[in-house]
Amino acid sequence: MKLLNDEPLLKAKLKDYQFEHMLDLTRPVPFALQQYEPGEIILHEGFALHSLLFLVQGKIKVTSSIETGKSLLLRFGHPFSIIGDIELIRNVPVQSRIEAVNECLLIGLSFDYIKQHEMKNPRFTSTLLDHLSYKLQTCTTASRVNLLASVENRFASYLMSTMSPGSNASFGMELQTDHIGEIASLLGTTHRHLNRVLQAFVQNRMLERNGQMIRVLDWDAIERASNGIRYE
């Protein structure tokens, strides 16, 4: 994590995401602009959290550990997402592992400041309620998908969810095959089973496997295989 001392960028992001509609900006607010590299862990489960984080650029992956030490995929997060709302309200350690999928910018604001100045602000608490209800919805969907959907559905949903917003499907997307074991774990299946699904997708010309790379050929077919499910 890198702390950025870039006041123009901070002001631009505050304006882009209309922080003035959520927080009282008539007083100086101790915001911290944070930058994370792709693959960098933003939060670890079980750690103490002292700041609320607002995702204003990039994509994050949210996972939850299970007793075997493996992780299940809960959702991908896009701007504007709030991280740490449960921890703020419930006064508990970090509940999920958060990883930067690509370069991410987050704005941090300390819990101490929020508790002193914003917890009685109805605009702020309304925003928290909106984000918390969305997380409940996505966690419920993820639980249903992981329990009931086929591996084909889950893998297609994973591919659709990892597409960058607004990207052109005809451009395609590439995955490293040495990440298949990690993806299988996130989807609650085995490396062997996911490889069988991959091979079926290749045979149906939905994917192309070239050495260590997998490339999506037919996004429409992947969309149909996902049954409209998203980890988002």
Side-chain angles (χ1 to χ4, degrees):
M1 187 267 284
K2 182 189 299 183
L3 284 173
L4 299 182
N5 185 19
D6 191 331
E7 193 67 21
L9 178 59
L10 174 60
K11 287 183 177 179
K13 293 301 182 182
L14 294 176
K15 181 178 180 180
D16 288 345
Y17 292 99
Q18 300 180 328
F19 274 66
E20 73 276 7
H21 293 166
M22 175 178 57
L23 302 171
D24 180 3
L25 301 186
T26 60
R27 63 169 69 92
V29 182
F31 291 119
L33 187 60
Q34 305 173 8
Q35 183 182 61
Y36 292 85
E37 298 300 317
E40 189 172 356
I41 305 302
I42 298 172
L43 295 176
H44 291 272
E45 281 180 289
F47 280 46
L49 184 62
H50 304 289
S51 295
L52 196 65
L53 301 173
F54 305 92
L55 179 66
V56 294
Q57 181 177 307
K59 179 187 292 187
I60 57 172
K61 180 168 64 179
V62 183
T63 60
S64 180
S65 297
I66 55 178
E67 292 181 358
T68 61
K70 296 182 179 180
S71 296
L72 283 174
L73 179 64
L74 296 180
R75 66 184 173 276
F76 289 91
H78 307 274
F80 174 69
S81 295
I82 296 178
I83 303 168
D85 39 13
I86 295 173
E87 291 79 0
L88 169 67
I89 294 170
R90 299 289 299 167
N91 194 28
V92 293
V94 174
Q95 297 297 292
S96 303
R97 172 172 147 149
I98 312 292
E99 179 183 340
V101 175
N102 47 25
E103 185 178 283
C104 291
L105 283 180
L106 295 101
I107 296 175
L109 185 59
S110 74
F111 286 171
D112 288 343
Y113 178 89
I114 291 170
K115 289 175 181 178
Q116 183 177 356
H117 296 289
E118 296 291 351
M119 289 307 291
K120 294 183 180 180
N121 177 353
R123 295 176 299 165
F124 175 71
T125 54
S126 176
T127 301
L128 283 189
L129 178 61
D130 185 53
H131 282 259
L132 282 167
S133 61
Y134 175 75
K135 287 179 181 178
L136 175 61
Q137 177 188 350
T138 57
C139 285
T140 301
T141 299
S143 298
R144 183 172 64 248
V145 169
N146 288 328
L147 285 172
L148 302 176
S150 68
V151 177
E152 289 83 357
N153 294 152
R154 279 178 270 166
F155 183 53
S157 301
Y158 177 88
L159 293 175
M160 295 300 301
S161 298
T162 51
M163 288 180 65
S164 297
S167 65
N168 186 345
S170 64
F171 177 75
M173 184 184 73
E174 294 184 344
L175 295 173
Q176 289 277 357
T177 55
D178 57 5
H179 293 165
I180 294 304
E182 177 187 356
I183 295 171
S185 175
L186 290 175
L187 299 181
T189 188
T190 64
H191 189 290
R192 180 177 297 179
H193 193 163
L194 185 55
N195 262 323
R196 288 199 294 267
V197 171
L198 266 172
Q199 187 57 37
F201 281 14
V202 169
Q203 290 175 351
N204 290 327
R205 299 291 299 160
M206 298 159 68
L207 303 175
E208 176 183 61
R209 197 165 189 168
N210 184 10
Q212 292 294 104
M213 301 298 295
I214 297 168
R215 183 172 180 270
V216 175
L217 297 177
D218 189 342
W219 282 111
D220 289 337
I222 297 294
E223 164 68 28
R224 290 192 293 273
S226 75
N227 280 342
I229 299 166
R230 295 292 181 273
Y231 287 101
E232 296 178 331

